[in-house]
């Protein structure tokens, strides 16, 4: 039995503005206001696990312990078939410059590494999202969502965040950076995981 979320304010344990904005938009119709980790001055814990769920658990439990509130975290990334699932949990690391994150550089690396595999290398990939809600007593619940698609080059579109400008969801022609937030949320890994969270923790 999934534990229910009681309350009207949800702490989302992320400093990523793109994630926070997408999660807030999906949750808004349920009458819950969302507060982010930056607003609460929460530190960013080190993500020392090698799975999405492991790192999502670290972030959710750290925030629940620090605030005494139930906390929802998101660990997500992209898995590229031609690269045996890389960058996976290291998706954000590919953008690290030592002086902030550069997603243009990260996307160029993904494209170069696929090209290095030869002309027949598949360009298929998946965006993956694991959400964990943790309560201060140590209980947690896990929800997962996947969006299959392919990686295009050159990149297209100015909306979204991260690797959105190179990712075309399966069955569509637009990249995620060429869609409205609503269109992306309806089909995305995060949209699917948040919908499951709502069904599990708010459903009857
Ligand atoms: P982490 O969950 O903080 O380890 O970082 C996940 C990284 O995956 C983000 O920094 C983004 O680069 C990428 N990512 C996750 N979800 C999306 C998305 O919806 N669009 C584009 N990039 C994403």
């Amino acid at each position: 039995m999934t534990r229910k979320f009681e309350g009207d304010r949800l702490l989302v344990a992320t400093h990523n503005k793109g994630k926070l904005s997408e999660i807030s938009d999906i949750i808004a119709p349920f009458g819950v206001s969302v507060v982010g980790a930056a607003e609460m001055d929460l530190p960013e814990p080190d993500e020392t696990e090698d799975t999405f769920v492991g790192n999502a658990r670290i972030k959710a439990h750290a925030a629940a312990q620090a605030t005494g509130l139930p906390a929802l975290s998101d660990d997500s990334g992209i898995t590229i078939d031609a690269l045996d699932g890389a960058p996976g949990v290291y998706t954000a690391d590919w953008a690290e410059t030592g002086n902030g994150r550069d997603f243009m550089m990260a996307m160029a690396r993904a494209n170069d590494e696929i090209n290095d595999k030869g002309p027949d290398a598949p360009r298929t990939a998946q965006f993956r999202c694991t959400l964990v809600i943790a309560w201060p007593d140590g209980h947690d619940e896990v929800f997962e969502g996947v969006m299959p698609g392919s990686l295009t080059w050159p990149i297209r579109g100015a909306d979204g965040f991260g690797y959105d400008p190179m990712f075309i969801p399966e069955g569509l022609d637009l990249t995620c950076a060429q869609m409205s937030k609503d269109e992306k949320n309806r089909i995305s890994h995060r949209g699917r995981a948040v919908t499951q969270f709502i069904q599990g923790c708010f459903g009857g």
Side-chain angles (χ1 to χ4, degrees):
M1 181 66 185
T2 308
R3 190 187 281 187
K4 301 297 172 208
F5 175 79
E6 314 280 351
D8 52 12
R9 234 170 139 232
L10 177 66
L11 171 62
V12 178
T14 183
H15 289 261
N16 182 315
K17 289 194 184 106
K19 289 182 183 179
L20 187 62
S21 143
E22 290 183 3
I23 293 171
S24 305
D25 284 357
I26 307 170
I27 287 182
F30 294 86
V32 175
S33 69
V34 163
V35 51
E39 251 178 278
M40 299 284 286
D41 250 348
L42 291 181
E44 285 188 80
D46 288 337
E47 298 182 19
T48 49
E49 295 288 326
D50 60 6
T51 59
F52 291 117
V53 65
N55 287 325
R57 279 208 164 100
I58 289 176
K59 292 186 272 194
H61 285 282
Q65 292 306 314
T67 60
L69 298 169
L72 182 77
S73 70
D74 167 316
D75 202 63
S76 45
I78 195 164
T79 49
I80 301 175
D81 292 332
L83 308 182
D84 300 321
V89 291
Y90 305 108
T91 299
D93 296 349
W94 277 26
E96 223 48 83
T97 65
N99 187 22
R101 288 181 180 166
D102 179 349
F103 283 99
M104 190 59 228
M105 175 185 86
M107 289 187 286
R109 174 171 171 185
N111 184 57
D112 288 347
E113 291 205 14
I114 296 170
N115 288 344
D116 287 348
K117 298 286 177 187
D120 296 330
R123 299 198 61 94
T124 46
Q126 302 79 32
F127 266 134
R128 298 181 186 275
C129 174
T130 300
L131 295 178
V132 170
I133 180 164
W135 279 263
D137 69 357
H139 181 83
D140 67 29
E141 303 281 354
V142 178
F143 305 93
E144 286 173 328
V146 179
M147 171 165 58
S150 62
L151 298 178
T152 190
W153 201 262
I155 59 168
R156 289 190 265 139
D159 292 329
F161 68 99
Y163 294 68
D164 278 343
M166 77 181 308
F167 191 92
I168 301 178
E170 198 173 86
L172 300 181
D173 297 318
L174 298 178
T175 70
C176 286
Q178 293 176 302
M179 297 175 183
S180 71
K181 274 204 294 178
D182 280 355
E183 281 171 313
K184 182 183 167 193
N185 280 341
R186 271 200 289 278
I187 56 169
S188 77
H189 51 317
R190 186 163 297 101
R192 289 174 177 164
V194 176
T195 301
Q196 286 190 39
F197 161 64
I198 289 165
Q199 282 165 356
C201 291
F202 293 82

